[in-house]
């Protein structure tokens, strides 16, 4: 009850506080990124073709709207949890992850589907195959899958070791037991796993939209590709943050329950007999490891988000190269015999 | 360097014909090699802001001409039989383009010169 509320309030705080840092750093770096052209062939963003500038504004608007909705969804879920007597049921614990992730990704998808289409008389298209792999920062994409894998592995481990779906029971010898809760057993774990997998699948779908959206008119292929990477980086930054916060929360709850069960042999222990000390020692060590891992995951997730959004803002503000002259754009030749 | 297709939707030349001609030109110039993959019809149509059927029309003609081949797994690729023009004529064409650029001629004027030479030479 109270613990579930604390967990949700912590989730909201974990989102709001990092977001304040993100906004500050992103604005600072975005301003720094509007630098002068680096070479004679480049022009600064303010002198870039109108279509490119329109695309940059569209991408930026999409990013701000998506983040606003992500925070809004997190706060709304937190408020709902606060008003529900006893907080969320364990089966609803996937709601914060799913709502934050899916609302964000839905906004991103709308942004990609409404991407400006070429409208001038002269249109250009790169003659190269474009896939999700070619427009996505590989490290960030792997990190998303790594957080999802960590979450699933943790939840499977806690599901297997949990009792009655929400508790951890340590057995000392044949008679003594120590129980602690909340513990992410199957009742918490299955909805959370489902939420995480749905978010990862939706993320891959949005990345596909980024790869497939129309090329920016009147723009060199390299600049168009860079703008796609900016969009993909922003999508992955948020998704990995949502998954990192979820994984960190699960690890923190696991750590608390494990430490509490290990140290409660005199409290909630139902019987005492000749007890080998190894069980509580192992549990205590595992609890500390899980706690440290939770902090590491959370810090890594926030730092990666800040760096990724700063890089995206910097890349979006970079000077652009005017589109190249097209070979073979004259009157068409005949087909070879 | 990334190869680019450029079409002018206001041109008197049909768009599918512009696409077909530019793919042929890239192959003849040796910039596209046999086995090179091309974007999907849908991707090219989205990038150019035109109907997929227009790109499909161009690709169909290129397949019939033996320039492109469609495979189930790899998609549309440059056909094995599509070879660039011989080295000598290709170099001569490149030298010719340099000369017309230096002379300030437009692409249309340069092509008109070649057509005139082709008409006047048996």
């Amino acid at each position: 009850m109270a613990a579930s509320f604390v967990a949700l309030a912590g989730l909201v705080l974990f989102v709001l506080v990092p977001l304040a840092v993100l906004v500050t750093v992103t604005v600072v770096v975005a301003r720094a990124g509007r630098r002068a052209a680096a070479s004679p062939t480049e022009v600064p963003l303010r002198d870039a073709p109108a279509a490119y500038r329109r695309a940059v504004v569209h991408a930026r608007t999409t990013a701000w709207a998506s983040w606003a909705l992500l925070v809004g969804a997190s706060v709304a879920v937190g408020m709902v949890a606060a008003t529900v007597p006893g907080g969320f049921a364990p089966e609803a614990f996937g709601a914060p992850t799913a709502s934050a992730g899916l609302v964000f990704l839905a906004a991103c998808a709308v942004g990609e589907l409404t991407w400006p289409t070429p409208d001038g008389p002269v249109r250009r298209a790169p003659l190269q195959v474009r896939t999700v792999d070619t427009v996505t920062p590989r490290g960030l994409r792997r990190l998303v899958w790594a957080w999802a894998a960590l979450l699933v592995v943790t939840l499977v481990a806690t599901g297997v070791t949990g009792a009655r779906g929400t508790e951890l029971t340590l057995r000392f010898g044949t008679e003594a037991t120590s129980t602690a809760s909340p513990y992410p057993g199957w009742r918490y774990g299955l909805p959370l796993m489902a939420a995480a997998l749905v978010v990862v699948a939706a993320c891959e779908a949005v990345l596909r939209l980024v790869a497939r959206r129309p090329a920016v008119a009147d723009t060199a292929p390299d600049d168009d590709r860079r703008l796609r990477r900016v969009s993909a980086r922003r999508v992955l930054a948020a998704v990995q943050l949502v998954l990192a916060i979820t994984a960190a929360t699960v690890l923190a709850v696991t750590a608390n329950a494990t430490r509490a069960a290990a140290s409660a042999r005199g409290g909630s222990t139902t019987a005492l007999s000749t007890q080998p000390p190894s069980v509580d020692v192992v549990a205590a060590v595992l609890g500390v490891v899980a706690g440290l891992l939770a902090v590491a995951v959370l810090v890594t997730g926030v730092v990666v988000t800040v760096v990724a959004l700063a890089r995206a803002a910097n890349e979006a503000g970079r000077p652009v190269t005017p589109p190249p002259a097209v070979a073979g754009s004259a009157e068409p030749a005949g087909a070879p015999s | 360097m990334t190869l680019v297709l450029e079409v002018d939707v206001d041109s008197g030349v049909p768009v599918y014909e512009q696409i077909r001609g530019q793919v042929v030109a890239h192959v003849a110039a040796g910039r596209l090699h046999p086995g090179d993959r091309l974007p999907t019809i849908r991707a090219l149509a989205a990038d150019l802001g035109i109907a997929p059927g227009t790109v499909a029309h161009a690709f169909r003609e290129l397949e019939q001409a033996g320039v492109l081949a469609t495979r189930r797994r790899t998609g549309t690729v440059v056909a094995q039989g599509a070879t660039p023009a011989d080295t000598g004529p290709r170099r001569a064409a490149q030298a010719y383009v340099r000369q017309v650029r230096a002379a300030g001629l437009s692409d249309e004027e340069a092509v008109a010169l070649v057509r005139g030479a082709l008409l006047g030479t048996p």
Side-chain angles (χ1 to χ4, degrees), chain A residues 8-335:
Chain A
L8 281 171
L11 185 66
V12 172
L13 273 180
F14 283 156
V15 174
L16 287 177
V17 173
L19 190 80
V21 178
L22 298 182
V23 169
T24 308
V25 172
T26 306
V27 168
V28 168
V29 176
R31 287 187 175 170
R34 289 179 201 139
R35 59 183 187 270
S39 76
T41 58
E42 292 180 331
V43 296
L45 181 58
R46 64 175 177 276
D47 298 328
Y52 186 83
R53 281 185 280 123
R54 199 163 57 241
V56 169
V57 170
H58 186 91
R60 192 186 303 143
T61 306
T62 301
W64 279 104
S66 308
W67 275 97
L69 286 170
L70 188 154
V71 175
S74 303
V75 172
V77 170
M79 290 173 68
V80 169
T83 56
V84 172
F88 279 154
E91 289 79 7
F93 262 64
T97 300
S99 59
L102 292 181
V103 165
F104 175 87
L105 289 167
C108 292
V110 169
E112 296 305 321
L113 292 171
T114 55
W115 190 256
T117 51
D119 56 359
V122 178
R123 321 274 177 85
R124 292 185 179 85
L127 258 184
Q128 65 180 178
V129 177
R130 207 165 49 225
T131 64
V132 172
D133 287 337
T134 60
V135 302
T136 305
R138 193 175 300 172
L140 265 180
R141 195 174 176 205
R142 284 181 179 165
L143 191 60
V144 164
W145 282 96
W147 290 151
L150 175 66
L151 184 60
V152 169
V153 168
T154 305
L155 289 172
V156 168
T158 54
V160 168
T161 55
R164 290 195 289 276
T166 58
E167 296 175 355
L168 172 66
T169 299
L170 296 182
R171 296 182 190 286
F172 307 101
T174 54
E175 297 175 7
T177 60
S178 175
T179 299
S181 68
Y183 184 75
W186 292 123
R187 283 185 69 193
Y188 293 107
L190 289 176
L192 273 172
M193 272 192 277
L197 293 177
V198 167
V199 167
V200 171
C203 174
E204 290 291 323
V206 171
L207 291 178
R208 194 166 287 226
L209 289 179
V210 172
R212 288 183 176 178
R213 76 188 183 198
V216 181
D218 217 13
T219 298
D222 286 347
D223 291 327
D224 178 70
R225 195 181 309 119
R226 191 176 66 237
L227 218 45
R228 289 179 202 276
R229 287 180 73 83
V230 167
S231 298
R233 200 182 291 281
R234 284 171 171 157
V235 169
L236 290 168
V239 172
Q240 70 84 28
L241 181 64
V242 168
L243 292 174
I245 289 173
T246 308
T249 306
V250 168
L251 284 166
V253 172
T254 304
N256 281 339
T258 310
R259 281 201 304 262
S263 61
R265 292 177 67 180
S268 61
T269 300
T270 54
L272 290 173
S273 62
T274 53
Q275 303 150 6
S278 59
V279 174
D280 54 347
V281 170
V282 170
V285 169
L286 284 177
V288 171
V289 170
L292 291 174
L293 195 56
V295 173
V297 168
L298 184 63
V299 170
T300 305
V302 172
V303 169
V304 166
T305 307
V306 171
V307 171
L309 291 184
R311 281 191 68 181
N314 198 355
E315 287 180 357
R318 279 184 57 186
V320 298
T321 307
V326 176
S329 61
E331 295 287 312

Side-chain angles (χ1 to χ4, degrees), chain A residues 117-118 120-131 212-215 221-222 224-225 228 324-337, chain B residues 2-10 13 17-18 20-26 31-32 37-39 43-44 46-50 65 67 107-108 111 115:
Chain A
T117 51
V122 178
R123 321 274 177 85
R124 292 185 179 85
L127 258 184
Q128 65 180 178
V129 177
R130 207 165 49 225
T131 64
R212 288 183 176 178
R213 76 188 183 198
D222 286 347
D224 178 70
R225 195 181 309 119
R228 289 179 202 276
V326 176
S329 61
E331 295 287 312
S337 55
Chain B
T2 305
L3 299 181
V4 175
L5 277 184
E6 182 181 277
V7 299
D8 183 351
V9 294
D10 289 347
V13 180
E17 186 64 21
Q18 296 179 47
R20 188 195 66 77
Q22 287 177 43
V23 172
V24 168
H26 282 310
R31 289 186 290 266
L32 278 177
R37 283 181 67 195
L38 266 63
L44 268 181
D47 283 356
L48 294 170
I50 59 177
V67 178
D107 288 0
E108 288 74 18
V111 173
R115 286 199 172 129

